[in-house]
């Protein structure tokens, strides 16, 4: 039988130090990922980062190895990296300026980083930042795009100024409908669409929507939006504009590839509360809040146990900001469920850690599952909800465990 | 045409991450065009990562998206060569 200590050393999911991985390893993600990814997978180290799972070099898309999710806050050096366009300048903090204005603004002005930090109340919020397409690589049938496993997310403590405080100085008129956002990154060819997004006015005025300049007590890493990025707690990371350069108070729906047709979900398929109606079409609507979800963080498929092993399964659960009400765990493929013990509540936009005592008292095959429920009664799905862009994968995770 | 490739490759060189050069796509007819045009805007691991699921129709849709939505200046005559390469080497019949 594996001792607890030995298990801690042998399971890839439990290496707490930055991993050194040369070969195919469970850290690259589940076996369901496309074979073309698995065959060529590698860990790569961007400047200032730990080795991360490469999805693509350019634009840089790198996933956080899942074992880091055992920490309440994801280390900045391990935080995932996601870009849509490949011209990514290193922003000089001293020269950086945020332009605030727009056709529905009464006033236009610029802010230096120093002004952003000193002229507005500094606010902190714990929030999960998750790519809309997290787990796209697990979609069956396959959906084209970046083939993310579980690691296109991270939990952090963000510090910055409220967007609403900055907007108050811009004196939005009655026509103000959306807040357009642009960052310093750009497409490498002229005709390529710049990464431009918008949020509805009501979400921009939410007291939790920040322009953050700190992440886990440090300046934002370059790869996560230095010197300032938008934080839209509860909503998927497509709106969390990095290297923010302009805030545009717009009287009409903001256009661009990444607003339409990009980042859309079919209407009526997901139990979504937050709506972005000024961008609706007959068929679809912009993705908004995250759906309720959970995962194991210290057990991966293929780990072997001996009869009599007891251990704590650990995991995280999250949603779009209503808060996690409970997590249920099954070890028999969903025939019976028991409540997991929830960790400290770090705020409704943070993920919630959980643990569940496992006892494998008989040899055989166990099928581990975890199912989170949030405070508005939403829970995870058993069957994938198909959608063209591969968003909102919150199918209950299933992990087969052999006990001999 | 050689000039175009040179232009694209110089673009790629400007924005490439150092280690991107280790990506080796399978040899085959059309590889030169795939390397020349596709790597102008993105590293070639996008192709590996999405394989082997797309059939010819899906690869064709992907290439057309690059041209129509992302402005990739791929001459029309070269599109079938690129799609053939992708379908044959990174696709499902």
């Amino acid at each position: 039988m594996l001792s607890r200590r030995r298990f801690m050393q042998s399971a890839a999911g439990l290496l707490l130090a930055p991993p050194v991985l040369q070969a195919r390893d469970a850290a690259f993600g589940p076996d369901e990922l496309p074979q073309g990814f698995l065959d060529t997978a590698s860990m790569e180290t961007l400047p200032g980062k730990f080795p991360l799972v490469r999805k693509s070099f350019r634009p840089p898309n790198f996933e956080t190895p899942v074992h880091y999710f055992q920490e309440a806050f994801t280390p900045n050096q391990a935080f995932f990296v996601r870009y849509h366009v490949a011209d990514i300048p290193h922003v000089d903090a001293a020269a950086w300026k945020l332009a605030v204005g727009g056709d529905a603004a009464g006033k236009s002005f610029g802010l230096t980083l120093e002004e952003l930090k000193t002229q507005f109340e500094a606010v902190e919020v714990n929030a999960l930042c998750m790519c809309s397409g997290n787990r796209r690589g697990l979609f069956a049938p396959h959906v084209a795009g970046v083939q993310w496993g579980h690691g296109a997310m991270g939990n952090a403590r963000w510090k910055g100024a409220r967007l609403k405080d900055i907007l108050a100085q811009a004196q939005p008129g009655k026509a103000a409908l959306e807040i357009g956002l642009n960052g310093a990154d750009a497409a490498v060819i002229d005709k390529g669409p710049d990464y431009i997004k918008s949020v509805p006015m009501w979400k921009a005025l939410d007291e939790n929507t920040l322009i953050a300049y700190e992440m886990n007590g440090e300046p934002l890493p370059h790869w996560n939006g230095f010197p300032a990025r938008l934080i839209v707690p509860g909503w998927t990371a497509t709106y969390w504009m990095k290297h923010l350069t302009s805030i545009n108070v717009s009287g009409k729906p903001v256009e661009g590839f990444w607003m339409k047709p990009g980042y859309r979900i079919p209407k009526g398929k997901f139990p979504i509360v937050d709506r972005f109606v000024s961008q609706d079409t007959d068929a679809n609507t912009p993705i908004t809040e995250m759906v309720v979800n959970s995962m194991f963080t210290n057990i991966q498929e293929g780990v072997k146990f001996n009869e009599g092993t007891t251990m704590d399964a650990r995991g995280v659960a999250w949603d779009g900001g209503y808060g996690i009400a409970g997590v249920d765990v099954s070890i028999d493929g969903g025939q019976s469920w028991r409540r997991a013990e929830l960790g400290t509540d770090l705020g409704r936009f943070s993920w919630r850690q959980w643990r569940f005592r496992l006892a494998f008292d008989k040899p055989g095959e166990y099928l581990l599952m975890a199912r989170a429920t949030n405070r508005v009664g939403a829970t995870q799905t058993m069957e994938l909800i198909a959608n063209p862009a591969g968003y909102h994968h919150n199918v209950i995770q299933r992990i087969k465990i052999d006990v001999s | 045409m050689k000039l175009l490739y040179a232009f694209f490759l110089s673009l790629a060189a400007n924005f490439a991450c150092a280690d991107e050069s280790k990506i080796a796509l399978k040899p085959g007819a059309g590889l030169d065009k795939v390397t020349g045009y596709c790597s102008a805007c993105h590293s070639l691991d996008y192709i590996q990562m999405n394989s082997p699921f797309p059939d010819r129709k899906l690869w064709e849709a992907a290439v057309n998206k690059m041209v129509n939505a992302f402005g990739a200046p791929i001459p029309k005559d070269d599109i079938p060569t690129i799609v053939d390469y992708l379908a044959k080497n990174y696709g499902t019949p």
Side-chain angles (χ1 to χ4, degrees):
Chain A
M1 181 180 123
L2 281 179
S3 70
R4 186 176 169 85
R5 184 181 160 78
R6 183 74 190 283
F7 172 75
M8 298 280 285
Q9 290 168 341
S10 66
L14 281 169
L15 295 168
L16 283 172
V20 182
L21 298 162
Q22 284 93 26
R24 163 79 183 111
D25 187 288
F28 290 135
D31 287 343
E32 295 93 319
L33 288 169
Q35 200 57 44
F37 164 75
L38 294 172
D39 287 348
T40 55
S42 67
M43 306 291 283
E44 302 290 342
T45 311
L46 291 169
K49 288 283 187 181
F50 293 151
L52 302 177
V53 183
R54 169 181 56 97
K55 293 292 158 171
S56 64
F57 282 109
R58 178 173 52 95
N61 287 297
F62 293 83
E63 185 171 310
T64 303
V66 159
H67 64 85
Y68 287 109
F69 295 164
Q70 291 177 77
E71 301 178 47
F73 295 105
T74 313
N76 289 3
Q77 296 97 319
F79 216 88
F80 81 103
V81 175
R82 201 276 180 262
Y83 281 90
H84 302 77
V85 287
D87 181 1
I88 306 163
H90 281 262
V91 178
D92 174 5
W96 178 81
K97 209 144 197 191
L98 177 63
V100 184
D103 63 59
K107 227 176 105 190
S108 297
F109 55 93
L111 288 174
T112 65
L113 189 57
E114 195 56 27
E115 287 165 342
L116 181 68
K117 288 178 175 175
T118 55
Q119 292 183 6
F120 303 90
E121 184 189 350
V123 180
E124 287 192 308
V125 62
N126 298 334
L128 179 72
C129 175
M130 187 187 81
C131 173
S132 310
N134 197 28
R135 303 189 186 175
R136 179 185 293 119
L138 308 182
F139 267 67
H142 174 252
V143 173
V146 178
Q147 299 298 301
W148 298 110
H150 294 277
M153 64 174 183
N155 200 43
R157 185 164 185 77
W158 310 94
K159 181 179 175 182
R162 288 191 184 99
L163 178 56
K164 65 180 263 204
D165 292 348
I166 292 154
L167 288 176
Q169 291 198 2
Q171 299 164 4
K174 279 187 182 154
L177 183 68
E178 298 181 3
I179 299 298
L181 308 155
N182 198 4
D185 53 352
V188 297
I189 53 174
D190 291 345
K191 285 183 185 162
D194 192 8
Y195 190 67
I196 291 171
K197 295 293 295 187
S198 69
V199 291
M201 202 61 194
W202 68 267
K203 191 65 178 173
L205 296 175
D206 187 301
E207 63 174 3
N208 296 296
T209 301
L210 308 183
I211 297 178
Y213 41 77
E214 272 186 28
M215 173 177 170
N216 295 325
E218 295 168 8
L220 299 177
H222 164 68
W223 302 107
N224 299 104
F226 183 84
R229 77 179 299 177
L230 196 72
I231 300 303
V232 190
W235 284 28
T236 64
T238 180
Y239 299 103
W240 299 39
M241 182 65 70
K242 298 189 290 297
H243 317 288
L244 198 61
T245 53
S246 77
I247 301 287
N248 166 29
V249 185
S250 177
K252 47 189 188 303
V254 171
E255 292 177 359
F257 177 81
W258 309 103
M259 288 304 297
K260 194 169 71 177
Y263 287 102
R264 297 269 160 168
I265 54 172
K267 273 182 167 171
K269 271 200 159 186
F270 296 97
I272 295 301
V273 179
D274 284 355
R275 299 292 308 278
F276 192 166
V277 292
S278 55
Q279 289 280 347
D280 271 3
T281 69
D282 289 343
N284 60 39
T285 186
I287 191 169
T288 55
E289 71 201 48
M290 289 178 274
V291 292
V292 62
N293 215 335
S294 69
M295 68 178 292
F296 290 88
T297 54
N298 69 339
I299 299 179
Q300 287 171 331
E301 182 120 351
V303 177
K304 294 195 187 318
F305 292 98
N306 283 355
E307 186 183 347
T309 303
T310 57
M311 66 164 291
D312 280 340
R314 293 164 64 186
V316 288
W318 65 93
D319 76 335
Y322 306 96
I324 294 301
V327 174
D328 296 300
V329 173
S330 173
I331 64 168
D332 55 13
Q335 292 174 56
S336 64
W337 297 86
R338 280 190 295 139
R339 271 275 134 122
E341 181 192 337
L342 295 182
T344 310
D345 185 350
L346 297 167
R348 64 193 177 98
F349 298 111
S350 165
W351 65 24
R352 189 84 183 259
Q353 293 180 300
W354 54 265
R355 65 168 66 205
F356 183 89
R357 192 72 178 163
L358 289 173
F360 299 112
D361 44 15
K362 275 187 285 197
E365 195 177 274
Y366 291 75
L367 185 54
L368 267 51
M369 299 166 76
R371 180 184 64 198
T373 305
N374 70 5
R375 291 180 187 144
V376 292
T379 189
Q380 294 178 241
T381 178
M382 294 289 279
E383 300 288 337
L384 184 69
I385 301 173
N387 64 98
Y391 299 142
H392 284 332
H393 184 301
N394 72 336
V395 179
I396 293 170
Q397 200 183 5
R398 294 154 208 255
I399 299 178
K400 265 191 220 134
I401 299 288
D402 277 323
V403 177
S404 54
Chain B
M1 200 53 64
K2 273 218 169 109
L3 265 177
L4 253 185
Y5 285 156
F7 168 70
F8 284 144
L9 287 172
S10 72
L11 261 184
N14 282 340
F15 296 103
C17 288
D19 286 346
E20 165 177 350
S21 58
K22 69 187 179 192
I23 301 170
L25 293 188
K26 295 171 193 169
L31 176 59
D32 56 339
K33 288 195 163 59
V34 168
T35 305
Y37 290 122
C38 305
S39 73
C41 297
H42 63 82
S43 50
L44 298 171
D45 39 14
Y46 273 86
I47 294 169
Q48 298 170 322
M49 172 168 65
N50 278 282
S51 70
F53 299 101
D55 57 13
R56 195 180 191 286
K57 215 174 123 192
L58 268 179
W59 275 124
E60 189 171 26
V63 175
N64 285 332
K65 181 182 172 185
M66 296 302 148
V67 173
N68 299 327
F70 293 100
I74 306 175
K76 230 177 180 166
D77 292 352
D78 283 333
I79 292 177
T81 311
I82 292 170
V83 173
D84 284 344
Y85 172 86
L86 294 171
K88 190 173 168 204
N89 295 287
Y90 291 94
T92 303

